C-alpha cells in the first residue's frame, strides 16, 4: 500500500514539474539578448512576418541600437555579465559585398533546392524518354523559369544530350551549368549605377509593391554604398506605409547616413525633391529614394511615381530605378514587374527573399520579361544579406559545383 501511495506521490510531483516547465516556457517572456560586443546587425521587424511565432507581441516597442547596447542590460542566466560598455559605437562598418552570393548555396539547400537537384536527377536517368523530358519541362516551369525559356532550355538540352551519347554526372552538370548560364544572360551589366558623372549626386529610386522588401533593400544598399566610402543620403518617400520612414531612418542611422523625411501620409514627391536638393547642397555622392508601392490602381501608381520622378529630374537625372520583387511570389511578381515597367523605366531588378524559395527560376523569367538585369538579390533579413547578383555563383548554388 505504502509503495502504491509513494508511486502516486512521485507521479504527481513529476507531472507537476513537467507541466510547470511547459506553462513556464509558454509564459516566459523572451529574454532580451545579452548586450552584444559588436552592434546587433539584425534590422528591427517593421511588419509581421510570415512564420512569426503566434503569440509574439507585435506591438512591442522597437529596440533601437542604443537600447540594445545599453550597458548593464540583464545577462543570460548562467553567463557572466559582460563588462560595462562605455559608449556604443557611432556607426557600424558593413562587411564587403564580394562573395556574398556564396551564402545562397546553404540557404537554397536549406530550402531543398528543387531546381538544380531535380534536373540533374532527371537527366541522369538511363533512358531519356518523352515522359522524362516532360518531367524536366515541368520541373523548370514549377521553378518559375517561364514558358519560353523552359522550351529553349529543353530544346538545347535534348540536342546536346543526343550529341553526348553516354552521360557521366560531371558532363551533365557542366552541360546544365552552361545552358542555365546562357539563360541568365551573363553579359548584362549588373553594376548599380550610382555615379551621375556630373557634379550632382547619383540618384537611385527604389520602387516595388509594399511588403516586397523595398525599404529593407534601400537600407541594405545604403550600407553597401557607405562601405564603399560613399556619402549617402536617404529620402523616405514611402509616406503611405506607417513606420516606413522610421524603418529607413534606423537603417540610415546605423551607418551614419541622414534620412530626409516628411509627415506620414505627406506628399512623396516633395520629400524626394527635398532629399535630392539636400543631397546636392551637402555634396552627397548618392541619394537613395524609397517610394510607396501600393498597387491600388495603375493610374494611381503611375501618377504617384511619375510625379516623384518628375520632381527629382528637376534637380538631377535619375541614374538608376531599381524594382524590388519578392522571389517567393512567383507569377505574381511577374505581374507586378509588368505594371511597374509600364509606369517607370526600370533599370535594374532586386530579387528579395531568394533565401525563402526553392524556385530560383524567377531570375530567368523576370529578366526575360523586362529585358533588364537582376542586379542584386536579398538572401535574408540580416543587414548584410544583400548580394550583387553573379550568374555563375547563382548557377553553382543551384546545381552545386
Ligand atoms: P516594404 O514594404 O517593401 O518596404 O518591405 P520591408 O522592407 O518592410 O520588408 C518586408 C519584410 O521582408 C521584412 O520583414 C523584411 O525583413 C523582409 N525581407 C526583406 N528582404 C528580405 C530577404 O531578402 N529575405 C528575407 N527572408 N526577408 C526579407
Amino acid at each position: 500500500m505504502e509503495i502504491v501511495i509513494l508511486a502516486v506521490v512521485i507521479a504527481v510531483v513529476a507531472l507537476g514539474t513537467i507541466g510547470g516547465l511547459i506553462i513556464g516556457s509558454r509564459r516566459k517572456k523572451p529574454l532580451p539578448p545579452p548586450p552584444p560586443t559588436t552592434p546587433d546587425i539584425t534590422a528591427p521587424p517593421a511588419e509581421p512576418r510570415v512564420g512569426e511565432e503566434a503569440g509574439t507581441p507585435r506591438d512591442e516597442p522597437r529596440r533601437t541600437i542604443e537600447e540594445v547596447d545599453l550597458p548593464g542590460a540583464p545577462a543570460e542566466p548562467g553567463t557572466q555579465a559582460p563588462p560595462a560598455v562605455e559608449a556604443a559605437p557611432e556607426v557600424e562598418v558593413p562587411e564587403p559585398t564580394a562573395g556574398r552570393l556564396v551564402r545562397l548555396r546553404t540557404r537554397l539547400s536549406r530550402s531543398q533546392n528543387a531546381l538544380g537537384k531535380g534536373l540533374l536527377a532527371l537527366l541522369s536517368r538511363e533512358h531519356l524518354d518523352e515522359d522524362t523530358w516532360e518531367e524536366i519541362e515541368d520541373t523548370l516551369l514549377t521553378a518559375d523559369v517561364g514558358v519560353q525559356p523552359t522550351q529553349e532550355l529543353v530544346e538545347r538540352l535534348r540536342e546536346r544530350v543526343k550529341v553526348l551519347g553516354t552521360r557521366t554526372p560531371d558532363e551533365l552538370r557542366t552541360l546544365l551549368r552552361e545552358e542555365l548560364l546562357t539563360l541568365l544572360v551573363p553579359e548584362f551589366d549588373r553594376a548599380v549605377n550610382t555615379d551621375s558623372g556630373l557634379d550632382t549626386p547619383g540618384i537611385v529610386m527604389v520602387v516595388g509593391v509594399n511588403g516586397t522588401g523595398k525599404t529593407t533593400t534601400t537600407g541594405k544598399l545604403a550600407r553597401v554604398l557607405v562601405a564603399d566610402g560613399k556619402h549617402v543620403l536617404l529620402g523616405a518617400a514611402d509616406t503611405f506605409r506607417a513606420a516606413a520612414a522610421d524603418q529607413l531612418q534606423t537603417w540610415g542611422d546605423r551607418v551614419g547616413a541622414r534620412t530626409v523625411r516628411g509627415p506620414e501620409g505627406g506628399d512623396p514627391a516633395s520629400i524626394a525633391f527635398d532629399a535630392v536638393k539636400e543631397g546636392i547642397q551637402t555634396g552627397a555622392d548618392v541619394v537613395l529614394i524609397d517610394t510607396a508601392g501600393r498597387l491600388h490602381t495603375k493610374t494611381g501608381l503611375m501618377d504617384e511615381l511619375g510625379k516623384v520622378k518628375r520632381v527629382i529630374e528637376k534637380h538631377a537625372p535619375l541614374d538608376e530605378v531599381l524594382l524590388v520583387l519578392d522571389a517567393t511570389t512567383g507569377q505574381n511578381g511577374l505581374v507586378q514587374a509588368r505594371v511597374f515597367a509600364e509606369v517607370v523605366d526600370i533599370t535594374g531588378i532586386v530579387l528579395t527573399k531568394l533565401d525563402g524559395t526553392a524556385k530560383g527560376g524567377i531570375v530567368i523569367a523576370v529578366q526575360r520579361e523586362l529585358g533588364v538585369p537582376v542586379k542584386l538579390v536579398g538572401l535574408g533579413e540580416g543587414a548584410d544579406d544583400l548580394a550583387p547578383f553573379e550568374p555563375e555563383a547563382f548557377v553553382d548554388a543551384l546545381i552545386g559545383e
Side-chain angles (χ1 to χ4, degrees):
M1 190 59 188
E2 280 99 330
I3 292 170
V4 173
I5 292 170
L6 193 64
V8 169
V9 169
I10 291 171
V12 167
V13 170
L15 273 176
T17 312
I18 295 167
L21 279 180
I22 293 167
I23 294 164
S25 65
R26 277 207 194 119
R27 281 202 193 125
K28 204 163 76 179
K29 277 198 77 173
L31 277 175
T37 44
T38 49
D40 179 6
I41 58 163
T42 311
E47 289 187 336
R49 272 169 275 146
V50 179
E52 196 170 43
E53 257 184 56
T56 305
R58 284 173 176 166
D59 49 358
E60 263 189 4
R62 209 185 270 162
R63 291 160 61 88
T64 63
I65 298 282
E66 287 74 19
E67 284 167 340
V68 173
D69 284 341
L70 267 185
E76 292 270 14
T79 60
Q80 263 201 336
V85 181
E86 277 293 293
E90 286 265 296
V91 293
E92 296 175 22
V93 182
E95 66 171 57
T97 56
R100 282 188 189 181
L101 198 65
V102 172
R103 281 182 215 160
L104 182 62
R105 185 157 343 147
T106 46
R107 298 196 181 168
L108 276 181
S109 57
R110 237 185 273 148
S111 58
Q112 283 153 20
N113 173 17
L115 181 56
K117 289 207 185 91
L119 285 178
L120 278 175
L122 287 166
L123 285 169
S124 306
R125 282 191 188 165
E126 207 170 321
H127 298 292
L128 287 176
D129 53 16
E130 279 311 310
D131 284 350
T132 309
W133 284 113
E134 247 171 57
E135 274 184 68
I136 291 174
E137 210 169 288
D138 287 348
T139 306
L140 289 163
L141 290 173
T142 312
D144 288 333
V145 171
V147 177
Q148 186 66 29
T150 293
Q151 282 168 358
E152 284 171 26
L153 183 61
V154 169
E155 209 169 294
R156 293 279 305 140
L157 287 174
R158 285 185 87 138
E159 248 171 55
R160 293 190 63 184
V161 164
K162 214 193 291 172
V163 173
L164 212 58
T166 51
R167 294 155 272 135
T168 68
D170 271 356
E171 282 170 333
L172 284 177
R173 178 170 282 119
T174 308
L175 191 148
L176 190 57
R177 189 178 188 281
E178 285 172 6
E179 292 305 331
L180 284 171
L181 207 51
T182 306
L183 282 183
L184 285 167
V185 199
E187 50 280 3
F188 263 138
D189 177 8
R190 295 172 199 273
V192 177
N193 188 12
T194 56
D195 190 357
S196 69
L198 309 165
D199 54 2
T200 48
I203 317 283
V204 180
M205 185 159 103
V206 186
V207 304
V209 171
N210 282 117
T212 53
K214 207 166 24 63
T215 304
T216 308
T217 298
T218 311
K220 287 176 178 175
L221 183 57
R223 289 177 71 85
V224 172
L225 294 169
V226 168
D228 284 348
K230 302 240 197 272
H231 169 192
V232 177
L233 189 73
L234 296 167
D238 180 356
T239 55
F240 171 69
R241 181 162 68 82
D246 284 345
Q247 193 186 340
L248 191 66
Q249 188 171 350
T250 304
W251 280 98
D253 287 349
R254 289 164 66 173
V255 289
R258 205 183 102 70
T259 304
V260 175
R261 50 187 295 180
E264 204 174 297
D267 179 20
S270 79
I271 293 163
F273 185 87
D274 289 347
V276 175
K277 194 165 117 197
E278 186 174 320
I280 293 170
Q281 281 167 354
T282 58
D285 297 310
V286 188
V287 179
L288 298 181
I289 312 275
D290 185 21
T291 60
R294 43 199 170 129
L295 270 181
H296 43 324
T297 62
K298 199 166 89 187
T299 329
L301 182 79
M302 207 176 296
D303 287 350
E304 196 165 291
L305 283 184
K307 192 171 162 205
V308 171
K309 185 170 177 288
R310 274 196 309 280
V311 300
I312 290 175
E313 287 177 336
K314 276 188 190 156
H315 283 309
L318 259 176
D319 298 289
E320 186 82 72
V321 179
L322 292 175
L323 171 67
V324 180
L325 292 176
D326 177 341
T328 64
T329 58
Q331 292 305 309
N332 249 339
L334 289 184
V335 175
Q336 291 167 17
R338 245 170 262 147
V339 173
F340 275 90
E342 283 176 38
V343 176
V344 273
D345 287 331
I346 311 289
T347 55
I349 300 156
V350 184
L351 264 185
T352 59
K353 311 186 195 181
L354 213 52
D355 53 306
T357 174
K359 302 182 170 192
I362 192 78
V363 180
I364 294 169
V366 74
Q367 284 195 158
R368 186 63 75 93
E369 179 72 40
L370 299 189
V372 294
V374 170
K375 294 192 168 179
L376 299 165
V377 288
L379 303 175
E381 295 188 82
D384 293 324
D385 283 337
L386 182 73
F389 183 73
E390 297 154 18
E392 303 224 346
F394 180 71
V395 173
D396 287 341
L398 281 187
I399 61 173
E401 277 168 298

